[in-house]
Amino acid sequence: VVKPHISLIVAAMAPELGIGANGKLPWRLKQEIKYFRDVTSHSGEGSINAVIMGRKTWESIPAKFRPLPNRLNVILSHSHTNEYRDGVLFYNSMDSILDAFQRDNYKFQKQDINKIFIIGGAQIYNAFVTDPRVDSLLLTNITFTGEASETPVMDTFLRWNLDEWKRLDSSRLKNLVGVEFTEGLIEEGAYEYEYTLWERK
Ligand code: NDP
Protein backbone atom coordinates (compact mmCIF):
# COMPACT_ATOMS: atom_id res chain seq x y z
CA VAL A 1 0.00 0.00 0.00
CA VAL A 2 1.46 3.35 -1.07
CA LYS A 3 0.84 6.13 1.41
CA PRO A 4 -0.58 9.31 -0.10
CA HIS A 5 2.01 12.06 -0.59
CA ILE A 6 1.43 14.94 1.85
CA SER A 7 2.30 18.55 0.89
CA LEU A 8 1.80 21.92 2.43
CA ILE A 9 0.75 24.30 -0.35
CA VAL A 10 0.94 28.05 0.19
CA ALA A 11 1.55 31.39 -1.52
CA ALA A 12 3.81 33.65 0.56
CA MET A 13 5.42 37.04 0.05
CA ALA A 14 9.13 37.53 0.59
CA PRO A 15 11.01 38.42 2.68
CA GLU A 16 8.64 38.03 5.67
CA LEU A 17 6.63 35.13 4.21
CA GLY A 18 3.38 37.02 4.68
CA ILE A 19 0.29 35.01 3.76
CA GLY A 20 -2.76 36.86 5.04
CA ALA A 21 -4.44 40.13 6.01
CA ASN A 22 -7.73 40.53 7.89
CA GLY A 23 -8.62 36.86 7.48
CA LYS A 24 -8.17 36.99 3.71
CA LEU A 25 -5.45 36.72 1.09
CA PRO A 26 -3.46 39.99 0.69
CA TRP A 27 -3.55 39.76 -3.13
CA ARG A 28 -5.61 38.44 -6.00
CA LEU A 29 -3.41 36.55 -8.45
CA LYS A 30 -5.50 34.87 -11.15
CA GLN A 31 -2.84 32.54 -12.48
CA GLU A 32 -1.88 31.50 -8.97
CA ILE A 33 -5.48 30.63 -8.16
CA LYS A 34 -5.60 28.47 -11.30
CA TYR A 35 -2.32 26.77 -10.37
CA PHE A 36 -3.68 25.99 -6.90
CA ARG A 37 -6.90 24.62 -8.37
CA ASP A 38 -5.14 22.52 -11.05
CA VAL A 39 -2.48 21.12 -8.73
CA THR A 40 -4.83 20.23 -5.90
CA SER A 41 -7.51 18.77 -8.22
CA HIS A 42 -5.31 16.61 -10.44
CA SER A 43 -5.45 12.95 -9.45
CA GLY A 44 -5.39 9.64 -11.28
CA GLU A 45 -8.45 7.73 -12.51
CA GLY A 46 -10.53 6.36 -9.67
CA SER A 47 -8.84 8.54 -7.09
CA ILE A 48 -9.37 11.94 -5.49
CA ASN A 49 -7.11 14.36 -3.64
CA ALA A 50 -7.87 15.67 -0.17
CA VAL A 51 -7.43 19.28 0.92
CA ILE A 52 -7.11 19.82 4.66
CA MET A 53 -7.65 23.30 6.10
CA GLY A 54 -8.20 25.11 9.37
CA ARG A 55 -11.64 26.38 10.33
CA LYS A 56 -10.69 30.02 9.67
CA THR A 57 -9.42 29.35 6.15
CA TRP A 58 -12.66 27.49 5.41
CA GLU A 59 -14.62 30.52 6.64
CA SER A 60 -12.50 32.79 4.41
CA ILE A 61 -13.72 31.00 1.27
CA PRO A 62 -16.90 32.65 -0.06
CA ALA A 63 -19.86 30.30 0.52
CA LYS A 64 -20.54 29.95 -3.21
CA PHE A 65 -17.00 28.61 -3.82
CA ARG A 66 -16.99 25.98 -1.09
CA PRO A 67 -16.50 23.11 -0.73
CA LEU A 68 -13.65 23.31 -3.26
CA PRO A 69 -14.93 21.16 -6.13
CA ASN A 70 -13.39 17.83 -7.21
CA ARG A 71 -11.44 17.54 -3.97
CA LEU A 72 -12.32 15.96 -0.65
CA ASN A 73 -12.49 18.96 1.70
CA VAL A 74 -11.47 18.40 5.32
CA ILE A 75 -12.06 21.15 7.89
CA LEU A 76 -10.23 21.04 11.22
CA SER A 77 -11.69 22.56 14.37
CA HIS A 78 -11.17 21.53 17.97
CA SER A 79 -14.93 21.63 18.45
CA HIS A 80 -15.82 19.33 15.56
CA THR A 81 -16.92 15.76 15.99
CA ASN A 82 -15.45 13.59 13.26
CA GLU A 83 -18.15 13.26 10.63
CA TYR A 84 -19.06 13.69 6.97
CA ARG A 85 -21.75 16.31 6.47
CA ASP A 86 -22.82 18.64 3.63
CA GLY A 87 -20.12 17.29 1.33
CA VAL A 88 -17.18 17.88 3.68
CA LEU A 89 -15.32 15.98 6.36
CA PHE A 90 -15.24 17.73 9.73
CA TYR A 91 -12.40 16.54 11.96
CA ASN A 92 -11.02 17.61 15.32
CA SER A 93 -7.38 16.74 14.83
CA MET A 94 -4.76 16.28 12.15
CA ASP A 95 -3.80 12.93 13.65
CA SER A 96 -7.28 11.51 13.40
CA ILE A 97 -7.75 12.50 9.75
CA LEU A 98 -4.26 11.42 8.64
CA ASP A 99 -4.67 8.13 10.48
CA ALA A 100 -7.98 7.58 8.74
CA PHE A 101 -6.47 8.31 5.31
CA GLN A 102 -3.45 6.13 5.90
CA ARG A 103 -5.46 3.15 7.05
CA ASP A 104 -5.39 0.35 4.51
CA ASN A 105 -8.35 0.42 2.21
CA TYR A 106 -9.52 3.92 3.04
CA LYS A 107 -11.96 4.90 0.30
CA PHE A 108 -14.01 8.00 -0.20
CA GLN A 109 -17.07 7.22 -2.31
CA LYS A 110 -15.21 4.24 -3.79
CA GLN A 111 -12.16 6.35 -4.65
CA ASP A 112 -8.65 6.10 -3.25
CA ILE A 113 -7.05 9.18 -1.78
CA ASN A 114 -4.25 10.10 -4.20
CA LYS A 115 -2.51 13.12 -2.65
CA ILE A 116 -3.12 15.11 0.49
CA PHE A 117 -2.70 18.89 0.41
CA ILE A 118 -2.63 20.91 3.59
CA ILE A 119 -3.94 24.28 2.41
CA GLY A 120 -3.68 26.54 5.47
CA GLY A 121 -3.97 28.77 7.24
CA ALA A 122 -1.10 30.06 9.33
CA GLN A 123 -1.89 28.05 12.45
CA ILE A 124 -1.95 24.84 10.48
CA TYR A 125 1.11 25.66 8.34
CA ASN A 126 3.19 26.67 11.34
CA ALA A 127 2.18 23.67 13.43
CA PHE A 128 2.76 21.07 10.71
CA VAL A 129 5.84 22.27 8.78
CA THR A 130 7.96 20.30 11.27
CA ASP A 131 5.73 17.22 11.17
CA PRO A 132 7.66 14.32 9.62
CA ARG A 133 4.53 13.08 7.87
CA VAL A 134 4.73 16.17 5.60
CA ASP A 135 6.73 15.15 2.51
CA SER A 136 7.03 18.44 0.64
CA LEU A 137 6.35 22.15 0.51
CA LEU A 138 4.72 23.69 -2.55
CA LEU A 139 5.58 27.33 -2.08
CA THR A 140 4.59 30.12 -4.44
CA ASN A 141 7.30 32.64 -3.77
CA ILE A 142 5.86 36.14 -4.27
CA THR A 143 7.64 39.50 -4.47
CA PHE A 144 5.93 42.88 -4.53
CA THR A 145 7.31 45.00 -7.35
CA GLY A 146 5.08 48.08 -7.00
CA GLU A 147 5.66 51.38 -5.20
CA ALA A 148 7.12 50.82 -1.74
CA SER A 149 4.31 52.92 -0.23
CA GLU A 150 1.78 50.46 -1.67
CA THR A 151 3.33 47.33 -0.20
CA PRO A 152 0.46 45.20 1.11
CA VAL A 153 0.11 45.26 4.89
CA MET A 154 -0.11 41.75 6.28
CA ASP A 155 -0.94 40.32 9.69
CA THR A 156 -0.32 36.62 9.15
CA PHE A 157 3.07 35.04 8.47
CA LEU A 158 4.73 31.67 8.02
CA ARG A 159 7.22 30.87 10.75
CA TRP A 160 9.18 28.44 8.63
CA ASN A 161 12.84 27.65 8.74
CA LEU A 162 13.62 26.96 5.10
CA ASP A 163 17.23 26.14 6.08
CA GLU A 164 15.88 22.71 6.97
CA TRP A 165 14.58 22.26 3.44
CA LYS A 166 16.15 22.16 0.00
CA ARG A 167 14.61 23.50 -3.15
CA LEU A 168 14.18 20.98 -5.96
CA ASP A 169 14.18 21.88 -9.61
CA SER A 170 11.21 22.49 -11.81
CA SER A 171 11.28 19.01 -13.38
CA ARG A 172 10.66 17.51 -9.93
CA LEU A 173 7.76 19.89 -9.42
CA LYS A 174 6.30 18.80 -12.78
CA ASN A 175 6.58 15.16 -11.82
CA LEU A 176 4.85 15.70 -8.53
CA VAL A 177 1.94 17.87 -9.69
CA GLY A 178 1.32 16.31 -13.11
CA VAL A 179 -0.20 19.47 -14.58
CA GLU A 180 1.06 22.24 -16.86
CA PHE A 181 2.30 25.40 -15.19
CA THR A 182 4.57 28.32 -16.05
CA GLU A 183 8.18 27.77 -15.03
CA GLY A 184 10.27 30.76 -13.91
CA LEU A 185 9.06 34.20 -12.90
CA ILE A 186 5.47 35.17 -13.57
CA GLU A 187 4.49 38.85 -13.60
CA GLU A 188 0.97 39.77 -12.61
CA GLY A 189 0.09 43.36 -11.71
CA ALA A 190 2.45 44.63 -9.04
CA TYR A 191 3.70 41.12 -8.19
CA GLU A 192 6.25 38.64 -9.44
CA TYR A 193 6.09 35.04 -8.38
CA GLU A 194 7.43 31.56 -8.99
CA TYR A 195 6.15 28.09 -8.16
CA THR A 196 8.67 26.14 -6.08
CA LEU A 197 8.99 22.68 -4.51
CA TRP A 198 10.96 21.85 -1.36
CA GLU A 199 11.89 18.64 0.42
CA ARG A 200 13.56 18.07 3.78
CA LYS A 201 17.36 18.12 3.73
P1 NDP B 1 -6.46 28.66 10.17
O1 NDP B 1 -7.09 28.57 8.83
O2 NDP B 1 -5.16 27.96 10.40
O3 NDP B 1 -7.57 28.11 11.18
C1 NDP B 1 -7.29 28.08 12.55
C2 NDP B 1 -8.34 27.22 13.22
O4 NDP B 1 -8.21 25.88 12.77
C3 NDP B 1 -8.19 27.15 14.72
O5 NDP B 1 -8.82 28.27 15.33
C4 NDP B 1 -8.89 25.85 15.02
O6 NDP B 1 -10.29 25.98 14.93
C5 NDP B 1 -8.48 24.99 13.84
N1 NDP B 1 -7.26 24.22 14.10
C6 NDP B 1 -5.97 24.63 13.96
N2 NDP B 1 -5.13 23.64 14.26
C7 NDP B 1 -5.89 22.56 14.59
C8 NDP B 1 -5.60 21.25 14.99
N3 NDP B 1 -4.34 20.81 15.11
N4 NDP B 1 -6.63 20.41 15.26
C9 NDP B 1 -7.91 20.84 15.14
N5 NDP B 1 -8.25 22.09 14.76
C10 NDP B 1 -7.26 22.94 14.48
O7 NDP B 1 -6.40 30.20 10.64
P2 NDP B 1 -5.28 31.33 10.63
O8 NDP B 1 -5.94 32.55 11.17
O9 NDP B 1 -4.01 30.86 11.24
O10 NDP B 1 -5.00 31.57 9.07
C11 NDP B 1 -5.96 32.23 8.25
C12 NDP B 1 -5.25 33.23 7.35
O11 NDP B 1 -4.37 32.53 6.47
C13 NDP B 1 -6.21 34.02 6.46
O12 NDP B 1 -5.74 35.35 6.34
C14 NDP B 1 -6.11 33.30 5.14
O13 NDP B 1 -6.46 34.13 4.04
C15 NDP B 1 -4.63 32.96 5.14
N6 NDP B 1 -4.29 31.89 4.20
C16 NDP B 1 -3.34 32.16 3.26
C17 NDP B 1 -2.99 31.20 2.33
C18 NDP B 1 -1.94 31.50 1.32
O14 NDP B 1 -1.57 30.59 0.54
N7 NDP B 1 -1.42 32.72 1.23
C19 NDP B 1 -3.64 29.89 2.31
C20 NDP B 1 -4.60 29.70 3.38
C21 NDP B 1 -4.92 30.69 4.27
P3 NDP B 1 -11.23 26.18 16.26
O15 NDP B 1 -10.87 27.55 16.77
O16 NDP B 1 -12.61 26.09 15.71
O17 NDP B 1 -10.84 25.07 17.20
Side-chain angles (χ1 to χ4, degrees):
V1 178
V2 188
K3 282 190 182 173
H5 186 96
I6 305 181
S7 306
L8 298 185
I9 182 166
V10 63
M13 196 173 100
E16 253 62 82
L17 297 182
I19 64 162
N22 302 314
K24 297 186 290 195
L25 295 181
W27 43 72
R28 188 172 171 280
L29 301 170
K30 280 182 77 172
Q31 291 190 58
E32 216 282 324
I33 293 170
K34 180 180 184 303
Y35 172 82
F36 172 82
R37 186 186 62 225
D38 291 351
V39 167
T40 55
S41 303
H42 182 265
S43 63
E45 267 302 293
S47 70
I48 187 170
N49 294 333
V51 289
I52 301 177
M53 71 198 94
R55 194 253 310 159
K56 292 183 183 171
T57 292
W58 170 256
E59 288 171 354
S60 79
I61 304 172
K64 62 181 182 215
F65 295 128
R66 68 191 201 208
L68 301 177
N70 307 120
R71 289 147 284 184
L72 173 55
N73 288 222
V74 182
I75 323 303
L76 296 181
S77 162
H78 296 102
S79 58
H80 286 159
T81 48
N82 299 344
E83 61 179 332
Y84 182 69
R85 176 165 44 83
D86 303 330
V88 306
L89 275 176
F90 294 92
Y91 261 75
N92 58 27
S93 82
M94 190 68 93
D95 286 348
S96 49
I97 186 60
L98 293 183
D99 287 352
F101 284 162
Q102 295 186 342
R103 220 165 281 143
D104 290 354
N105 277 318
Y106 181 90
K107 299 269 188 203
F108 175 73
Q109 296 177 347
K110 298 187 180 161
Q111 301 172 97
D112 293 320
I113 301 296
N114 183 353
K115 300 188 199 99
I116 298 170
F117 294 98
I118 296 173
I119 66 165
Q123 247 189 61
I124 303 275
Y125 290 137
N126 290 332
F128 291 96
V129 70
T130 53
D131 189 307
R133 290 170 296 190
V134 172
D135 300 299
S136 63
L137 309 178
L138 286 163
L139 170 66
T140 301
N141 188 195
I142 304 178
T143 327
F144 181 72
T145 55
E147 292 288 331
S149 61
E150 281 162 27
T151 307
V153 177
M154 290 179 276
D155 56 23
T156 310
F157 300 87
L158 297 179
R159 283 183 277 97
W160 284 7
N161 182 5
L162 285 174
D163 293 341
E164 292 170 4
W165 296 76
K166 58 174 182 290
R167 189 176 159 185
L168 305 182
D169 61 31
S170 203
S171 61
R172 297 287 300 276
L173 177 56
K174 276 201 164 154
N175 276 337
L176 176 65
V177 300
V179 297
E180 291 297 316
F181 61 87
T182 306
E183 294 173 60
L185 274 186
I186 298 165
E187 286 177 39
E188 197 177 327
Y191 296 90
E192 270 178 9
Y193 55 94
E194 185 172 13
Y195 307 124
T196 67
L197 169 65
W198 302 69
E199 273 180 8
R200 275 203 184 70
K201 278 182 179 163

